[in-house]
Structure formats: structure tokens, C-alpha cells
Amino acid sequence: MVRLAPVVVALAATASAFVSPALQAPTAPRQAPVTRALVEEGAFVPDMERRNIMNLILIFGGALPAVGGLAVPYLLFFIPRGGGGGTGGLPALTKAGDQVTFKDWLAAHNVGSRELVQGLKGDATYLIVDEDKTIRDYGINAVCTHLGCVVPWNKAANKYMCPCHGSQYDQTGKVVRGPAPLSLALAHITDNAGVVTFTPWTETDFRTGLNPWWK
């Protein structure tokens, strides 16, 4: 009887190997992971193009005011004070930015002097001391009408002679040799409480009999 026990156990183990899988205890099926929606059903979701546009608006909306705040003062620095095209006068200024007075200028400059100051629109402009020891009642803009070089006065030739391309102007600023197509611009000079003051020249150009081209 004792000898039969191992044999019974072995037969039981062998029989369990042949049991149909259908007869084995069922296992619980695995549930698929649940994904929770990040956006509620029916909610508006912008497409990629709209999102790019909104991003650009946010970027430029923040960047432009900052850039503009820095750029505007920088640009204004290079714009001369006053327009020169209005009816108001502007004081003549030295290289140091000081206002030019008749008294000080005549004390420091001899008859026949032609020296540059800052005039209308910030342009370099000649003040001329005449024979009667007075400042001529108009200034001559020193900007060449060809390509904008500053034209120096050549005392020996009694002309304004452009060093860039050879244009020449007589002692009144009238063009006498090209390639400059026009005469130098003029500006009136008035006495404003002792300060040399430029005002726009709007009437006929006495050198040509024509309306001023710079008006």
C-alpha cells in the first residue's frame, strides 16, 4: 500500500498536464489604460496657423514698445532742431552749439570773412562779413547741389569750389560750373536781440530770377 502512494502522485501530476485550458480557472482580462482628455468635449482648439499668429502678436506686442522706446530717442538725436521750412527763425550756432551774436562774431572776424555756422535744417551755412564791417543779410548754404558735399570757399579763386566733383559757385553761391545743377540755397539773416537768426528765403532768387528750388 505504501509503495502505491508515489505512483498515485505521479499519475495525478501527469493527468493535470492534459487538462484542457478551457477547464482551467479563467484569468481577469487586462484593462486598457484610460486616457483622460485634456480639453473638454466641444471646446475650441486653435489650429497651428492661428497659434503661430497669436505667438507673433505676443512677441511683437512686447518687443516693439521696448525697441521703439530705445530707437526713437536715438533717431531724434540726428534730426536737427527746427525744420527750417517754417516761418520761424533759428539762431545760428557755432560748432560747440552756442548761439552766434553779431557783436562777438564781428569782433572775431575780419572784413571778407566767410565762415561756417549751423543754419536752417542743421545745414552748414556761410556767414559773410562785408566791407562795412557788417554781417551780410543772407547766408549761403554750403551743401553742394550735386551730391551733398560741403563746399569750401577758395579765397584765391574768389569762388566756392567743391572738392568732390569740381562744381563751382560764384561769391553769391550761384552755380557757374557743373556737374552741380543748381545754385546754393539762401537764407535770410535777421537780428533777434543781438543773435544772428536765420529765416527761410521764400521769394525770388535774385541770382537767377526764378523761384527758389529749396522752397
Side-chain angles (χ1 to χ4, degrees):
M1 187 68 177
V2 176
R3 293 180 179 178
L4 292 176
V7 176
V8 172
V9 172
L11 290 174
T14 303
S16 63
F18 292 96
V19 175
S20 173
L23 299 178
Q24 296 180 0
T27 58
R30 294 184 180 180
Q31 295 182 350
V34 178
T35 303
R36 295 183 179 179
L38 299 179
V39 180
E40 296 181 0
E41 184 178 357
F44 172 74
V45 179
D47 56 23
M48 182 60 70
E49 182 178 357
R50 292 184 179 179
R51 278 181 283 175
N52 289 338
I53 293 174
M54 287 190 292
N55 289 337
L56 291 175
I57 292 174
L58 290 175
I59 292 173
F60 286 102
L64 287 180
V67 174
L70 295 174
V72 171
Y74 178 81
L75 293 175
L76 291 177
F77 176 80
F78 294 96
I79 299 176
R81 289 173 291 178
T87 57
L90 286 177
L93 301 178
T94 65
K95 294 179 180 179
D98 300 322
Q99 292 186 354
V100 176
T101 64
F102 284 89
K103 180 180 178 181
D104 291 343
W105 190 266
L106 291 173
H109 295 82
N110 297 322
V111 170
S113 168
R114 293 171 185 260
E115 299 292 337
L116 291 172
V117 296
Q118 180 177 310
L120 298 177
K121 301 181 182 178
D123 289 345
T125 304
Y126 281 101
L127 291 185
I128 304 168
V129 179
D130 283 332
E131 297 293 334
D132 57 355
K133 195 60 176 178
T134 61
I135 295 177
R136 188 172 295 184
D137 61 359
Y138 63 87
I140 299 176
N141 192 309
V143 178
C144 183
T145 59
H146 179 218
L147 291 179
C149 298
V150 173
V151 182
W153 170 251
N154 188 315
K155 186 175 181 179
N158 199 36
K159 295 177 183 178
Y160 297 98
M161 303 178 69
C162 183
C164 297
H165 301 95
S167 298
Q168 297 183 12
Y169 308 84
D170 70 12
Q171 59 92 19
T172 66
K174 180 180 179 180
V175 63
V176 293
R177 174 180 172 181
L182 300 165
S183 299
L184 298 175
L186 301 175
H188 288 292
I189 291 178
T190 59
D191 186 341
N192 184 9
V195 176
V196 177
T197 304
F198 290 110
T199 58
W201 185 296
T202 58
E203 64 272 23
T204 301
D205 184 348
F206 68 89
R207 302 165 301 182
T208 63
L210 304 174
N211 290 328
W213 60 264
W214 60 89
K215 181 177 177 181

